[in-house]
């Protein structure tokens, strides 16, 4: 049977699987579902309704999970010739993703809601429900690859095309979840234009649909406005490394580590150089700013590690990715007392508590954890 790397094993018809295809309404998930069906699997499409009131329509390329998207997903399923359902996971999404997002910002951290959605919704709530209904696998349009090792265990690897690789946001998946994951696009050395051309050949109307981006539950892209609505305003100070007040703000949650623009400081730096956000303290509602070299981080401690297979023991050398579209950096990492201790071979910038760090051994995803604290290469005063 035509199949995909690392495809789950199933008891049916010589490898024919019952596959639940998560269809967002975009081109990637539609092509993934079509490929799974073409490979001979018994595919059912499902669109996840993640908003309790999904009446807003996408403007431009922003957002996802709207009524428009559910209609697009249904039309794609009709063309592919597979059954289609809409599942309401709005309450679970609100609790596990939206409230987590707001709470993390309130605590002075910078979360990644897409990673949390993959962990809590697409490969926890959705997969659990799929397995309970007798499905063998959940299929998504992510660009990543599952590899079966000699002993039958599964590993998560980067996509064949690094330009489209999405393994970073899948670094929360454990081996049990990988055993039921299907990524039909992950081993495809094609450009996005070629994926769109394939969708057009298949008669899928989403072929020319713009990609969604930003945060799906903030369709207008105004993260600060969204947070202000949920957290209110709270006047506080912007200070330098010595504690000298330079300006004010209406909520510390409106800043992120490494931010340069939008500080609106009334006092220029003595050396005339730009200043950046170095620290966010929700306890006293203070934002600390300073020079760019004060952003250099030499190490960090991360919590809630999740391993894509057997957890490593002792220190090891890896590469690490710190943001969805970031590059790799060499690190030494060690699981210790339920946490992950990481030392960078060279200082890095723009590292913020709340972000995810994902470890790689070559193309293999070792695991991920949430950054809790960082160690500055240059200590700040005050």
């Amino acid at each position: 049977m035509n199949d995909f790397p690392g495809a789950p094993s199933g008891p049916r018809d010589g490898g024919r699987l019952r596959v639940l295809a998560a269809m967002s309404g975009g081109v990637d998930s539609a092509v993934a579902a079509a490929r799974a069906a073409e490979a001979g699997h018994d595919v059912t499409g499902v669109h996840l309704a993640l908003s309790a009131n999904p009446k807003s329509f996408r403007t431009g390329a922003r957002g996802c999970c709207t009524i428009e998207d559910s209609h697009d997903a249904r039309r794609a399923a009709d063309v592919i010739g597979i059954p289609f359902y809409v599942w309401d996971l709005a309450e679970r999404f609100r609790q596990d993703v939206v409230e987590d997002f707001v709470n993390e910002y309130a605590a002075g951290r910078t979360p990644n809601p897409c990673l949390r959605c993959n962990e809590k919704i697409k490969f926890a709530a959705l997969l659990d429900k799929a397995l309970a209904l007798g499905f063998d696998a959940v299929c998504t349009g992510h660009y990543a690859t599952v590899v079966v090792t000699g002993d039958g265990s599964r590993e998560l690897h980067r996509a064949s095309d690094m330009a489209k690789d999405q393994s970073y946001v899948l670094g929360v998946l454990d081996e049990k979840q990988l055993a039921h994951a299907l990524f039909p696009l992950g081993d495809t050395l094609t450009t996005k234009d070629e994926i769109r051309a394939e969708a057009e050949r298949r008669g899928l109307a989403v072929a020319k649909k713009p990609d969604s981006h930003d945060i799906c539950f903030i369709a207008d892209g105004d993260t600060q406005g969204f947070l202000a609505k949920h957290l209110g305003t709270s006047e506080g100070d912007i200070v330098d490394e010595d504690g000298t007040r330079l300006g004010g703000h209406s909520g510390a949650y409106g800043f992120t580590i490494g931010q340069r623009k939008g500080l609106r400081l009334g006092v220029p730096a003595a050396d005339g150089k730009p200043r950046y956000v170095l620290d966010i303290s929700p306890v006293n509602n203070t934002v600390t700013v300073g020079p760019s070299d004060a952003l250099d981080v030499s190490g960090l401690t991360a919590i809630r590690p999740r391993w894509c297979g057997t957890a490593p023991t002792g220190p090891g050398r890896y590469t690490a990715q710190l943001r969805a579209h970031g590059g790799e950096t060499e690190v030494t990492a060690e699981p210790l007392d339920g946490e992950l201790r990481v030392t960078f071979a060279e200082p890095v910038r723009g590292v913020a508590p709340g972000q995810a760090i994902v470890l790689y051994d070559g193309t293999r995803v070792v695991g991920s954890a949430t950054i809790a604290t960082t160690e500055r290469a240059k200590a700040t005063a005050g």
Side-chain angles (χ1 to χ4, degrees):
M1 168 180 286
N2 179 26
D3 222 323
F4 312 103
S9 57
R12 300 173 179 82
D13 303 335
R16 188 169 186 258
L17 304 172
R18 286 194 67 203
V19 175
L20 186 68
M23 302 181 70
S24 66
V27 63
D28 290 330
S29 60
V31 171
R35 288 186 178 184
E38 186 177 65
H41 298 303
D42 179 7
V43 180
T44 296
V46 62
H47 178 79
L48 304 182
L50 301 180
S51 172
N53 186 29
K55 294 183 179 179
S56 63
F57 284 74
R58 182 190 297 101
T59 57
R62 293 187 182 276
C64 67
C65 309
T66 64
I67 290 177
E68 177 189 358
D69 292 301
S70 66
H71 292 338
D72 288 343
R74 183 180 297 278
R75 284 191 287 266
D78 288 344
V79 170
I80 298 167
I82 59 175
F84 178 83
Y85 300 92
V86 175
W87 285 0
D88 183 0
L89 291 179
E91 182 60 21
R92 180 75 180 264
F93 183 78
R94 182 187 65 79
Q95 294 176 354
D96 289 343
V97 179
V98 179
E99 289 185 1
D100 175 79
F101 178 84
V102 173
N103 292 337
E104 286 292 284
Y105 266 102
R109 296 185 288 266
T110 305
N112 185 314
C114 295
L115 190 145
R116 195 65 60 226
C117 182
N118 284 324
E119 176 188 0
K120 299 291 188 178
I121 305 300
K122 293 177 182 174
F123 288 94
L126 178 62
L127 180 57
D128 289 347
K129 188 172 183 178
L131 294 178
L133 291 173
F135 288 93
D136 302 303
V138 164
C139 163
T140 74
H142 287 101
Y143 290 89
T145 306
V146 177
V147 173
V148 181
T149 65
D151 63 5
S153 62
R154 282 172 168 75
E155 297 175 346
L156 178 65
H157 285 250
R158 289 192 181 276
S160 297
D161 184 355
M162 278 292 294
K164 299 196 295 292
D165 175 64
Q166 293 176 305
S167 60
Y168 174 85
V169 295
L170 297 173
V172 291
L173 305 186
D174 59 28
E175 188 176 343
K176 179 181 177 182
Q177 292 169 323
L178 290 175
H180 299 283
L182 194 63
F183 305 123
L185 306 187
D187 200 41
T188 305
L189 286 172
T190 54
T191 65
K192 189 59 177 278
D193 287 341
E194 289 171 316
I195 291 292
R196 293 188 181 282
E198 178 180 339
E200 192 163 12
R201 288 194 305 271
R202 293 179 180 275
L204 300 172
V206 293
K208 296 180 180 179
K209 185 176 180 177
D211 288 336
S212 60
H213 63 89
D214 295 329
I215 300 168
C216 70
F217 52 87
I218 308 178
D220 61 2
D222 183 8
T223 300
Q224 190 162 349
F226 175 86
L227 292 170
K229 178 181 177 181
H230 285 77
L231 297 174
T233 58
S234 179
E235 302 295 325
D237 294 332
I238 301 177
V239 302
D240 64 15
E241 296 174 275
D242 296 321
T244 302
R245 188 181 187 279
L246 303 176
H249 62 77
S250 58
Y253 56 77
F255 299 85
T256 58
I257 301 296
Q259 179 178 333
R260 173 186 172 183
K261 297 181 179 180
L263 300 182
R264 298 187 298 275
L265 301 177
V267 182
D271 58 7
K273 294 182 179 180
R275 284 176 289 208
Y276 300 79
V277 174
L278 305 180
D279 184 63
I280 303 164
S281 175
V283 175
N284 55 16
N285 199 26
T286 298
V287 176
T288 301
V289 298
S292 59
D293 60 356
L295 285 170
D296 289 344
V297 168
S298 59
L300 59 83
T301 298
I303 58 175
R304 298 193 298 274
R306 289 179 62 87
W307 305 109
C308 299
T310 304
T313 57
R317 298 187 67 179
Y318 308 95
T319 57
Q321 188 170 329
L322 298 163
R323 53 186 62 84
H325 303 292
E328 292 180 276
T329 185
E330 294 184 358
V331 300
T332 299
E334 179 181 13
L336 196 62
D337 299 327
E339 298 178 338
L340 181 67
R341 310 291 172 84
V342 177
T343 302
F344 295 102
E346 299 288 340
V348 297
R349 291 184 179 176
V351 183
Q355 290 177 332
I357 179 171
V358 178
L359 299 181
Y360 292 84
D361 181 6
T363 63
R364 179 176 70 89
V365 181
V366 178
S368 69
T370 302
I371 299 170
T373 59
T374 59
E375 300 169 15
R376 300 283 186 193
K378 172 188 173 183
T380 59

